[in-house]
Amino acid sequence: MGVSNNITAVVNLIALLASIPIIASGIWLASKPDNECIANFRWPIVIIGILILLVSLAGFVGAYWNKQGLLALYLFSMALLILLLLVILVFAFVVTRPDGAYDVPGRAYKEYTLHAFSSWLRTHITGSGSWHNIMPCLASSDVCTKLTHNYITADQFFASHISPLQSGCCKPPTACGYNYVSPILWTNPVNPMADPDCYLWNNDQNQLCYNCNACKAGLLGNLRKEWRKANIILIVAVVVLIWVYVIACSAFKNAQTEDLFRRYKQGWI
């Protein structure tokens, strides 16, 4: 195995290792309660990470056993996967850039307004057709019920940093003026005209505020928060993959030159 192929094998091993955090971040995203209820958002990153792992493995095999055809296929496939990952990163950054969060006086947690998020997210995630399937999924999860195990008094709850999803779905909007009984039980609104969601709130644990605009906004707030965290890992992985790919291209070109020179030398002799 020539020097260039040695280099290609090493950088492909690095690319293989870089696929692991991509897969891990995808699994982390897919395991979140909100993503469990949104089928289209669950597995793309995991699938791309697995494909990068397999392509890197193919490149390593091609370099180690000097299979030029396999190396060429590796370079072509890896370019497509890096481009696809870049597109997903840019798209995720653009659609999660608007933040619908706002501060609430006397509360440590934030509340969220739906119209402040990107129109793409509102249309594809919280549209009536999609929400019809998402709402029962959220209601069947423990997103809200587990709050009752963590907070007992109103002061404890108001000083908590609950997730956007919990803020939007598990309690009525603060502006309604409901009185706290428990994190998922509220009574006697002082200002029920303050927000349309005030009338949608229901103490039934299967309903709560799952049909509220606040819940839809909370879901988008959760998605934004989680994708922003995952993007940090994905950006680092993409930088490593691009660096590996440039070195692999150079090594492949050198290997081709070495092979051509070797054939020329054998023919001369």
Side-chain angles (χ1 to χ4, degrees):
M1 185 169 61
V3 175
S4 296
N5 281 346
N6 275 326
I7 295 173
T8 304
V10 170
V11 296
N12 273 289
L13 183 60
I14 296 173
L16 190 149
L17 294 175
S19 70
I20 295 175
I22 297 176
I23 296 171
S25 63
I27 293 174
W28 178 77
L29 283 172
S31 67
K32 294 299 179 179
D34 48 346
N35 282 285
E36 288 182 358
C37 297
I38 307 174
N40 293 338
F41 270 54
R42 292 194 69 185
W43 302 114
I45 298 299
V46 176
I47 293 171
I48 291 175
I50 292 173
L51 289 175
I52 290 173
L53 187 149
L54 294 175
V55 169
S56 300
L57 184 61
F60 178 82
V61 171
Y64 192 84
W65 278 281
N66 195 25
K67 303 292 184 181
Q68 297 300 311
L70 194 57
L71 282 174
L73 179 63
Y74 151 76
L75 291 174
F76 175 76
S77 301
M78 185 60 76
L80 289 180
L81 289 172
I82 291 174
L83 180 62
L84 180 59
L85 193 56
L86 280 171
V87 169
I88 291 177
L89 276 172
V90 172
F91 177 76
F93 177 81
V94 171
V95 299
T96 61
R97 185 176 181 182
D99 184 7
Y102 62 91
D103 293 320
V104 182
R107 306 289 189 268
Y109 51 76
K110 295 179 181 292
E111 292 187 354
Y112 298 81
T113 180
L114 184 59
H115 69 81
F117 289 96
S118 73
S119 59
W120 189 92
L121 284 177
R122 295 200 309 270
T123 301
H124 290 82
I125 305 300
T126 62
S128 57
S130 300
W131 196 252
H132 179 73
N133 297 319
I134 293 172
M135 186 175 68
C137 176
L138 291 176
S140 64
S141 70
D142 64 347
V143 169
C144 293
T145 54
K146 66 182 181 182
L147 288 175
T148 59
H149 304 298
N150 298 329
Y151 310 106
I152 299 176
T153 67
D155 289 339
Q156 286 179 331
F157 184 71
F158 296 154
S160 65
H161 294 277
I162 58 178
S163 71
L165 189 64
Q166 292 170 327
S167 175
C169 303
C170 305
K171 62 171 191 58
T174 301
C176 301
Y178 276 87
N179 292 310
Y180 176 94
V181 178
S182 79
I184 57 174
L185 182 62
W186 302 72
T187 60
N188 302 325
V190 176
N191 191 16
M193 301 287 291
D195 193 299
D197 287 345
C198 299
Y199 291 103
L200 295 175
W201 169 260
N202 193 306
N203 283 318
D204 184 338
Q205 292 189 11
N206 292 318
Q207 297 186 46
L208 299 180
C209 218
Y210 291 121
N211 202 32
C212 299
N213 282 332
C215 186
K216 298 175 182 179
L219 175 67
L220 298 187
N222 248 47
L223 288 176
R224 181 184 187 277
K225 183 178 179 181
E226 291 160 4
W227 274 90
R228 288 283 168 141
K229 288 181 179 179
N231 278 357
I232 296 173
I233 297 173
L234 296 177
I235 288 171
V236 173
V238 166
V239 170
V240 171
L241 289 173
I242 292 174
W243 172 75
V244 164
Y245 184 78
V246 170
I247 295 176
C249 284
S250 178
F252 180 75
K253 184 178 179 180
N254 290 337
Q256 294 287 87
T257 303
E258 289 173 2
D259 186 58
L260 183 63
F261 179 75
R262 186 177 65 254
R263 292 180 182 180
Y264 173 78
K265 186 177 180 181
Q266 289 173 350
W268 179 264
I269 292 174

